[in-house]
Amino acid sequence: MANEKKFVQAITSRNEDFAQWYTDVVKEAKLCDYSSVKGCLNYLPNGYAIWENIQKNLDARFKETGVENVYLPVLIPESLLQKEKDHIEGFAPEVAWVTHGGLEKLEERFCIRPTSETLFCDHWQKVVKSYRDLPLIWNQWNAVLRWEKTTRPFLRSREFLWQEGHTLHATYEEAEERTKMMFDVYYDFVTKDLAIPLIGGRKTESEKFAGAQDTYTIEAMMHDGKALQSGTSHFFGNAFPDSFDIKYLDKENNLHSAYETSWGMSTRIIGAIIMVHGDDSGLVLPPRIAPTQVMVIPIAQHKEGVLDKANKLYDRLKKHGIRVKIDDSEKSPGFKFSEQEILGIPTRIEIGPRDIENGECVICRRDNGEKITVKLEEIETKLEELLETIQTDMYNKASKFLNSHVYFANTLDEMKEIAKDKIGFIKAPWCGNSECEDIIKAETGGFGSRCIPFNQPKVRSKCACCGKDAEDIVVWGKSY
Amino acid sequence: MANEKKFVQAITSRNEDFAQWYTDVVKEAKLCDYSSVKGCLNYLPNGYAIWENIQKNLDARFKETGVENVYLPVLIPESLLQKEKDHIEGFAPEVAWVTHGGLEKLEERFCIRPTSETLFCDHWQKVVKSYRDLPLIWNQWNAVLRWEKTTRPFLRSREFLWQEGHTLHATYEEAEERTKMMFDVYYDFVTKDLAIPLIGGRKTESEKFAGAQDTYTIEAMMHDGKALQSGTSHFFGNAFPDSFDIKYLDKENNLHSAYETSWGMSTRIIGAIIMVHGDDSGLVLPPRIAPTQVMVIPIAQHKEGVLDKANKLYDRLKKHGIRVKIDDSEKSPGFKFSEQEILGIPTRIEIGPRDIENGECVICRRDNGEKITVKLEEIETKLEELLETIQTDMYNKASKFLNSHVYFANTLDEMKEIAKDKIGFIKAPWCGNSECEDIIKAETGGFGSRCIPFNQPKVRSKCACCGKDAEDIVVWGKSY
């Protein structure tokens, strides 16, 4: 039947055309599609369910650190957006403007929020009076809009989903600590729950967020060697609060500046999951974030007792808290396998007459295709263990890939050589001058500065570009 | 200290001025406030946490019925909004228009979604081909915008948070069944989790949603006797799908119309929680939805061992899965009590040196002020039982209020009499003519038709307004 074509035929080989492979996976797994609104996506059930699990796990981590959730308006008055100079310069060219409400022209334009620093500061200016009102550790899960010219599913779209955390503190040190803390939360979440290895560090001056004093970033390497900025935590110092005249009275009744941070992770991270773990059969989801962790597929389901046994297995796993589905449709087992594979469901259980006779079933791993025969009475514990093993193995595999694609260079010539032959990141010393960044990017065909990694010893080296003294090693890479 | 004023002094008496009481409670409990964007609210941590619990509980109920979550764009092209005639007439006067993207004027205007029927239909038109693609049972949690002229916290604002479910079916019957099913989900959720008694029924022709064939509604009675429409479920028949040319091929390869429903519940429901359960000390939250279910308040906390014992109690309750906080700040116990009361936290535990000596503590109920002495070793089970009791008692109390404020009338004169003297709802027969609705509303000073209740026997009666034959008893009331 036409409807039973193998999905895999619809997916371009990953090594043949990575970009097309990505598009095919997104489409065939029905994660999202383009809407009638240019540049805006429809997040479909399979894609949104991944986002829901990301929200759930990340939000729990936020709350452990004392974060409270709020919701601020979708609209920002033009006058408010303009209050912080760097910020408006960064965002003005890429916002959508509301000019009419109902049948009337508005006196002042509103933009649809591209990010909400200005709204938070505007509220805080009104309510923060005393040191007793601080700190404020707030976050919101919402959608923002930036009028991008090009669009790619999850990676770049005009509207995207994210969380934006905004915090206000009495001291510089406390705000700095919070910036670092949220970086740590992201790092921990992405490595542990998404099985994606990371390089974490500081952004250079030219790559910082508009208005921030420091931006910390987690950078992941996709299978094509390109970097994907996966989460950022910004330290604003008192630039924003001062622009908005947010001051508080300390215990001795002195008026003080306040200090601010913001931090965000978006649906881009779904793009990272696809491009780090996916293969030629489709998506491969880490068990901790997979909406479905195991698909039960009855074999020869018309034979007596098979469907009954498969359904009992389903019930047991569900009761045990494993996210399980059963495919008892009329499709052929081969078609069901393909479908489970393209959706990236971490395991499937095959159970047919012979298995039942032997009191066992077969678990097939999505990440490496391995098949394991398991006694039915042990299925809960064995499957649970296996899901943990898959999670670890996926991280280790991706980690090995990352580590084997980081190259070291001391000169621009060496960088150019590597950039010509290899995919991946280059570590090279840098003097701190943004002109050298521009030259390196241009000469290497797009290797921009990704970050200055944390926890690396200061070096006495020379800038790969200009030869002047360099204290920092920078990670360079092409990026999404 | 100025900071230690009793909150209750800031709250107007409920019987003195209900509207002001409501505003005071919202403000003093810090649930939300007005933003710099006219008509748009900031949902603050205390208010948003209630919404998060509503989302969690309601979403779980949705998913039990097979609902999948999605996210569709915030913008709707003007041409798309215009596809369904009744729909555009209903919404055109109250949407916000985006006319510029970045620095450029757009070729076509977009409105910020006031609701998303058109976006769902537009997507479905592209993807639905066969009976195999149906049903689609989708929902999204998002914010929508309607350019309202007047604003009241939670009850009416330009932007509000809600969920909008949209489903597409192969048959009329299946769609009708889903409409009813979601009505049942709302009814069950609001009565059980929010402890709010309801009258459920059908909307009259003139009160239906723009474009719907039938609208089912749950109506709650506020403490001032006014109705609050708390959730609606709409049956569209094939009006929308046909306008969007959504057709599917059945098993015999015949082209068929599809049938649609939508259903929504919004942050208005928080207004209902406030106005059904609140009292002169502030908010009273039903335990199942309360972000904090118990506040531990140490008495004479400077005495040796008190804080230690209070913290151990806190740990035990937390471990047991009860949503607990401890207030070990320097404020006086009286201030802490006021604060817990205004926030509507269902119980507080008072524990001081004498209690500790006796191996007990005191639980104070927020809903009726009752104090219960409990042995410390039994605290988990006793508290758990008590929270369930409070939930039930709150429902019963509200139910008694509702039932004692529903009046019966057979003529317009009787209705006017009741409307003059009483607060509450009036049940009266109606002929089905919308002119009679208008007359009744005008003559009674605002008693509009709230719904035609389900499960009431057909009557042989005469319309209270025109005296013609009436089959239905309608519930009439003033409304928010």
Side-chain angles (χ1 to χ4, degrees):
Chain A
M1 286 163 71
N3 199 44
E4 291 218 2
K5 72 170 164 54
K6 275 217 162 188
F7 285 119
V8 286
Q9 291 166 357
I11 299 179
T12 305
S13 157
R14 188 172 56 160
N15 291 329
E16 192 180 294
D17 182 344
F18 192 75
Q20 189 58 48
W21 167 84
Y22 178 81
T23 308
D24 291 347
V25 169
V26 167
K27 188 179 167 209
E28 295 298 318
K30 294 185 183 166
L31 301 181
C32 67
D33 75 357
Y34 291 106
S35 73
S36 287
V37 188
K38 193 173 174 303
C40 292
L41 298 173
N42 293 325
Y43 294 83
L44 304 177
N46 293 345
Y48 196 78
I50 299 171
W51 184 238
E52 281 186 298
N53 281 347
I54 289 171
Q55 286 188 303
K56 191 176 152 204
N57 292 12
L58 192 53
D59 196 68
R61 283 170 199 262
F62 287 166
K63 284 181 177 152
E64 274 170 30
T65 74
V67 172
E68 296 182 303
N69 283 339
V70 299
Y71 183 83
L72 270 50
V74 66
L75 298 178
I76 305 177
E78 186 165 17
S79 56
L80 204 58
L81 192 70
Q82 286 172 338
K83 278 209 175 181
E84 212 284 333
K85 191 178 61 65
D86 292 339
H87 194 67
I88 180 71
E89 278 176 18
F91 283 106
E94 55 176 53
V95 294
W97 293 104
V98 173
T99 57
H100 291 73
L103 306 173
E104 282 165 33
K105 188 163 191 291
L106 302 175
E107 286 182 22
E108 182 184 11
R109 300 198 298 178
F110 296 98
C111 77
I112 297 181
R113 65 181 162 226
T115 180
S116 306
E117 277 76 9
T118 52
L119 291 169
F120 278 82
C121 283
D122 183 57
H123 172 70
W124 289 338
Q125 193 276 326
K126 289 172 195 155
V127 298
V128 172
K129 312 278 179 209
S130 140
Y131 70 95
R132 291 189 204 87
D133 301 322
L134 298 174
L136 293 165
I137 316 288
W138 290 1
N139 174 64
Q140 61 181 359
W141 292 92
N142 62 8
V144 292
L145 203 130
R146 299 175 187 177
W147 213 254
E148 304 275 2
K149 295 245 184 304
T150 57
T151 314
R152 292 197 62 194
F154 298 119
L155 302 175
R156 193 168 295 277
S157 54
R158 286 187 172 169
E159 185 186 24
F160 59 88
L161 305 176
W162 75 345
Q163 56 68 218
E164 47 175 326
H166 298 268
T167 73
L168 193 71
H169 305 267
T171 67
Y172 186 101
E173 293 71 25
E174 194 186 290
E176 210 179 22
E177 191 188 331
R178 174 56 66 170
T179 315
K180 190 65 183 14
M181 185 192 297
M182 300 321 289
F183 165 87
D184 288 341
V185 167
Y186 289 142
Y187 190 96
D188 195 65
F189 168 71
V190 173
T191 52
K192 293 209 178 119
D193 287 14
L194 308 185
I196 296 177
L198 296 169
I199 293 178
R202 243 177 337 116
K203 284 284 182 193
T204 62
E205 190 63 27
S206 60
E207 295 284 330
K208 279 178 354 186
F209 180 78
Q213 184 166 326
D214 245 323
T215 290
Y216 302 151
T217 178
I218 49 173
E219 302 281 329
M221 186 189 288
M222 305 300 101
H223 195 77
D224 62 351
K226 284 163 83 173
L228 192 135
Q229 176 181 305
S230 304
T232 46
S233 184
H234 313 292
F235 175 61
F236 287 107
N238 52 18
F240 260 99
D242 280 0
S243 299
F244 281 78
D245 198 27
I246 303 172
K247 307 271 181 194
Y248 73 92
L249 286 172
D250 67 12
K251 284 188 184 174
E252 286 76 37
N253 238 25
N254 298 316
L255 210 53
H256 267 279
S257 276
Y259 299 85
E260 200 203 357
T261 84
S262 80
W263 25 278
M265 181 174 283
S266 79
T267 36
R268 287 199 105 195
I269 197 74
I270 297 175
I273 296 171
I274 299 167
M275 291 194 287
V276 168
H277 298 304
D279 64 20
D280 283 355
S281 302
L283 210 55
V284 183
L285 291 176
R288 288 204 195 158
I289 216 75
T292 306
Q293 295 172 313
V294 56
M295 178 66 85
V296 176
I297 300 179
I299 310 295
Q301 67 183 35
H302 295 292
K303 297 235 168 116
E304 202 188 322
V306 172
L307 265 186
D308 181 55
K309 203 78 183 178
N311 272 306
K312 281 199 176 122
L313 195 58
Y314 165 85
D315 289 339
R316 272 173 60 190
L317 293 172
K318 189 171 179 184
K319 201 175 158 194
H320 197 71
I322 289 169
R323 298 193 290 276
V324 57
K325 277 193 178 168
I326 184 165
D327 189 349
D328 55 4
S329 67
E330 290 299 311
K331 300 167 197 161
S332 72
F335 183 82
K336 294 178 184 178
F337 294 172
S338 285
E339 208 162 27
Q340 168 255 328
E341 285 168 8
I342 193 153
L343 293 176
I345 296 170
T347 58
R348 70 168 173 257
I349 292 178
E350 304 170 10
I351 181 163
R354 201 175 310 160
D355 304 304
I356 293 169
E357 211 171 284
N358 296 333
E360 49 193 38
C361 64
V362 174
I363 309 180
C364 181
R365 287 174 63 159
R366 174 65 184 90
D367 63 324
N368 62 10
E370 198 187 324
K371 292 196 173 200
I372 305 132
T373 302
V374 174
K375 286 277 162 211
L376 283 175
E377 68 253 31
E378 299 178 329
I379 186 69
E380 291 96 338
T381 49
K382 287 288 178 193
L383 186 60
E384 214 164 38
E385 281 168 28
L386 186 64
L387 290 171
E388 269 309 299
T389 305
I390 293 172
Q391 184 81 28
T392 310
D393 287 357
M394 284 177 70
Y395 179 80
N396 289 340
K397 187 179 171 188
S399 204
K400 206 171 149 189
F401 182 86
L402 169 63
N403 292 331
S404 63
H405 289 84
V406 178
Y407 303 92
F408 294 84
N410 280 309
T411 65
L412 186 53
D413 281 343
E414 286 174 26
M415 291 182 81
K416 283 158 73 175
E417 197 67 21
I418 296 165
K420 204 174 62 185
D421 295 341
K422 316 273 193 191
I423 60 164
F425 297 165
I426 302 172
K427 282 192 172 183
W430 172 64
C431 61
N433 192 325
S434 69
E435 280 167 31
C436 289
E437 276 179 279
D438 294 342
I439 294 169
I440 288 172
K441 192 167 185 178
E443 295 280 320
T444 55
F447 279 65
S449 75
R450 301 315 307 156
C451 68
I452 304 164
F454 291 133
N455 305 323
Q456 64 179 6
K458 288 281 172 193
V459 291
R460 286 167 185 272
S461 191
K462 302 292 174 189
C463 176
C465 181
C466 68
K468 288 184 189 152
D469 285 350
E471 283 197 340
D472 291 312
I473 298 289
V474 167
V475 172
W476 308 85
K478 293 187 182 180
S479 76
Y480 278 94
Chain B
M1 285 162 73
N3 201 43
E4 294 218 2
K5 71 170 164 55
K6 276 216 166 194
F7 284 117
V8 285
Q9 292 167 357
I11 299 179
T12 305
S13 158
R14 189 172 54 160
N15 291 330
E16 193 180 297
D17 182 344
F18 192 74
Q20 188 58 46
W21 167 83
Y22 179 80
T23 307
D24 290 348
V25 170
V26 168
K27 186 178 168 211
E28 295 300 319
K30 294 185 184 165
L31 300 180
C32 68
D33 75 358
Y34 291 106
S35 74
S36 287
V37 187
K38 192 170 175 302
C40 292
L41 299 172
N42 293 325
Y43 294 84
L44 303 177
N46 293 345
Y48 196 79
I50 299 171
W51 183 239
E52 281 185 299
N53 281 347
I54 290 171
Q55 286 187 303
K56 192 177 152 205
N57 292 12
L58 192 54
D59 197 68
R61 284 170 198 262
F62 287 165
K63 283 180 177 152
E64 274 170 31
T65 75
V67 172
E68 296 182 302
N69 284 339
V70 299
Y71 182 83
L72 269 50
V74 67
L75 299 178
I76 305 177
E78 186 165 17
S79 56
L80 204 58
L81 192 70
Q82 286 172 339
K83 279 209 173 181
E84 213 283 334
K85 192 179 60 66
D86 292 339
H87 194 68
I88 180 72
E89 277 176 18
F91 283 107
E94 56 175 52
V95 295
W97 292 104
V98 173
T99 56
H100 290 72
L103 307 172
E104 284 164 31
K105 188 162 191 288
L106 301 174
E107 287 181 21
E108 182 184 10
R109 299 197 298 177
F110 296 98
C111 78
I112 298 180
R113 66 181 161 225
T115 180
S116 307
E117 277 75 9
T118 52
L119 291 168
F120 278 82
C121 284
D122 183 56
H123 172 71
W124 288 337
Q125 192 276 325
K126 289 172 196 155
V127 299
V128 171
K129 311 279 178 208
S130 141
Y131 70 94
R132 290 190 204 87
D133 301 323
L134 298 173
L136 293 165
I137 315 289
W138 290 2
N139 174 65
Q140 61 181 359
W141 292 93
N142 62 8
V144 291
L145 203 130
R146 299 175 187 178
W147 214 253
E148 305 275 2
K149 295 244 184 304
T150 57
T151 313
R152 291 196 65 194
F154 298 120
L155 302 175
R156 193 169 294 278
S157 54
R158 287 188 170 169
E159 186 187 24
F160 59 87
L161 305 176
W162 76 345
Q163 56 69 218
E164 47 174 327
H166 299 267
T167 73
L168 193 71
H169 305 267
T171 67
Y172 186 101
E173 292 72 23
E174 195 186 291
E176 210 179 21
E177 191 189 329
R178 173 57 65 170
T179 314
K180 191 63 184 14
M181 187 193 297
M182 300 321 290
F183 165 87
D184 288 341
V185 167
Y186 288 143
Y187 191 96
D188 195 66
F189 168 71
V190 173
T191 52
K192 293 208 179 120
D193 287 13
L194 307 185
I196 296 177
L198 296 170
I199 294 178
R202 240 174 342 112
K203 284 285 182 192
T204 61
E205 189 62 27
S206 61
E207 294 284 329
K208 278 178 356 187
F209 181 77
Q213 184 167 325
D214 245 324
T215 290
Y216 302 153
T217 177
I218 50 173
E219 303 280 328
M221 187 188 287
M222 304 300 100
H223 195 77
D224 62 352
K226 283 164 83 173
L228 192 134
Q229 175 181 305
S230 303
T232 45
S233 185
H234 312 292
F235 176 60
F236 287 106
N238 52 18
F240 259 100
D242 281 359
S243 299
F244 281 78
D245 198 28
I246 303 172
K247 307 270 180 195
Y248 72 92
L249 287 171
D250 67 12
K251 284 188 185 175
E252 285 77 36
N253 237 26
N254 297 317
L255 210 55
H256 266 280
S257 276
Y259 299 86
E260 200 201 357
T261 86
S262 80
W263 25 276
M265 181 175 281
S266 79
T267 36
R268 286 198 106 194
I269 197 72
I270 297 176
I273 296 171
I274 299 168
M275 291 193 288
V276 167
H277 299 304
D279 63 22
D280 282 354
S281 302
L283 209 55
V284 182
L285 291 175
R288 287 205 194 157
I289 215 76
T292 305
Q293 295 173 311
V294 56
M295 179 66 86
V296 176
I297 299 179
I299 310 294
Q301 67 183 37
H302 296 292
K303 296 235 166 116
E304 202 188 321
V306 172
L307 265 186
D308 181 53
K309 204 77 183 177
N311 272 306
K312 280 199 177 120
L313 195 58
Y314 165 85
D315 289 338
R316 272 173 60 190
L317 293 172
K318 188 169 180 186
K319 203 175 156 195
H320 196 70
I322 289 169
R323 298 192 290 277
V324 56
K325 277 192 178 170
I326 183 164
D327 189 349
D328 55 4
S329 68
E330 290 299 311
K331 300 166 195 162
S332 71
F335 183 82
K336 293 178 187 179
F337 293 171
S338 286
E339 208 162 28
Q340 169 255 328
E341 284 168 9
I342 190 149
L343 293 176
I345 296 170
T347 59
R348 68 169 175 258
I349 292 179
E350 306 171 8
I351 180 163
R354 201 175 309 159
D355 304 302
I356 293 168
E357 209 170 287
N358 297 333
E360 50 193 39
C361 64
V362 174
I363 310 180
C364 181
R365 287 174 63 158
R366 174 65 183 89
D367 63 324
N368 63 10
E370 198 189 322
K371 292 196 173 200
I372 305 133
T373 302
V374 173
K375 285 279 164 209
L376 281 176
E377 68 256 29
E378 299 178 326
I379 187 68
E380 290 96 339
T381 48
K382 289 286 178 194
L383 186 59
E384 215 163 36
E385 282 167 28
L386 186 63
L387 290 171
E388 270 309 300
T389 304
I390 293 172
Q391 185 81 29
T392 310
D393 287 357
M394 285 178 69
Y395 179 80
N396 290 340
K397 187 177 171 189
S399 203
K400 205 171 151 189
F401 181 84
L402 168 63
N403 292 331
S404 63
H405 289 83
V406 178
Y407 304 92
F408 293 84
N410 281 308
T411 65
L412 186 53
D413 280 343
E414 284 173 30
M415 291 182 81
K416 284 159 73 175
E417 197 68 22
I418 296 166
K420 204 175 62 186
D421 295 341
K422 316 273 192 190
I423 59 164
F425 297 164
I426 302 173
K427 282 191 174 183
W430 172 65
C431 60
N433 192 325
S434 70
E435 279 167 32
C436 288
E437 274 180 279
D438 295 341
I439 294 169
I440 289 173
K441 192 168 184 178
E443 295 281 319
T444 55
F447 278 64
S449 76
R450 302 313 308 154
C451 67
I452 305 164
F454 290 133
N455 305 324
Q456 63 179 7
K458 289 280 173 193
V459 291
R460 285 167 185 271
S461 192
K462 302 291 174 191
C463 176
C465 182
C466 67
K468 287 185 189 150
D469 284 350
E471 282 196 340
D472 291 313
I473 298 289
V474 166
V475 172
W476 308 84
K478 294 188 181 178
S479 76
Y480 280 95

